[in-house]
Amino acid sequence: MSTLTKPNHIGRKISRIRELRDMKQEALAQALGTNQQAISAMENSETIDDEKLVEVARALGVTVEAIKNFSDEAAINYFNSFHEAVHNSHFGNNNHCTFNPLDKLMESVEENKKLYERLLQAEKEKIEYLEKLLKEK
């Protein structure tokens, strides 16, 4: 590995955060009131003035510090540790169905049919009753 330190390329960090948030350059441009070409130029810039960085952070839903301190390695480590924590907990281990979800769905469909038929029968009885009352008058 090289002994040279990586440059703190803010534009690349913004680009990576934008991609991780599943946001296109056009969407970020719209949030900032600019165009896609300006976002592309900004993401290719090694430095960005603080005022613009605050606006970008707000549009991305992160803090300025999150942009300045972002690294792909840290993001990967974060998600790997999250996956391991969930996998090692009881939360993530017991996710096997003891029933067929399609069977449950069909049971609910049949129950809805029965309820509808009962409702329909009640309406028919109500109509018959009202017709009988009208004939008596």
Side-chain angles (χ1 to χ4, degrees), residues 83-96:
H83 175 71
E84 289 169 5
V86 169
H87 185 64
N88 292 332
S89 71
H90 293 294
F91 176 73
N93 288 338
N94 240 352
N95 59 359
H96 301 290

Side-chain angles (χ1 to χ4, degrees), residues 2-116:
S2 173
T3 56
L4 297 174
T5 58
K6 292 182 183 178
N8 193 14
H9 199 290
I10 296 294
R12 275 196 212 116
K13 291 180 178 189
I14 291 170
S15 174
R16 288 295 295 138
I17 292 170
R18 178 184 55 74
E19 290 168 354
L20 287 171
R21 300 205 33 97
D22 199 26
M23 182 184 275
K24 296 197 177 294
Q25 283 184 339
E26 292 85 4
L28 182 56
Q30 186 176 14
L32 294 174
T34 185
N35 58 28
Q36 182 269 328
Q37 290 81 6
I39 299 300
S40 180
M42 178 182 62
E43 289 180 353
N44 288 322
S45 299
E46 203 166 314
T47 60
I48 296 172
D49 65 80
D50 289 338
E51 278 184 32
K52 191 67 169 176
L53 194 56
V54 169
E55 292 176 27
V56 171
R58 189 175 303 121
L60 290 173
V62 298
T63 63
V64 172
E65 291 77 27
I67 294 174
K68 289 181 177 179
N69 298 327
F70 178 82
S71 73
D72 282 329
E73 294 82 17
I76 290 169
N77 289 338
Y78 171 78
F79 286 110
N80 283 344
S81 66
F82 176 75
H83 175 71
E84 289 169 5
V86 169
H87 185 64
N88 292 332
S89 71
H90 293 294
F91 176 73
N93 288 338
N94 240 352
N95 59 359
H96 301 290
C97 286
T98 57
F99 60 88
N100 185 343
L102 292 176
D103 289 342
K104 291 291 183 185
L105 177 65
M106 292 312 297
E107 285 176 19
S108 67
V109 167
E110 291 302 317
E111 185 64 29
N112 282 346
K113 278 185 187 178
K114 289 176 186 174
L115 289 171
Y116 179 74

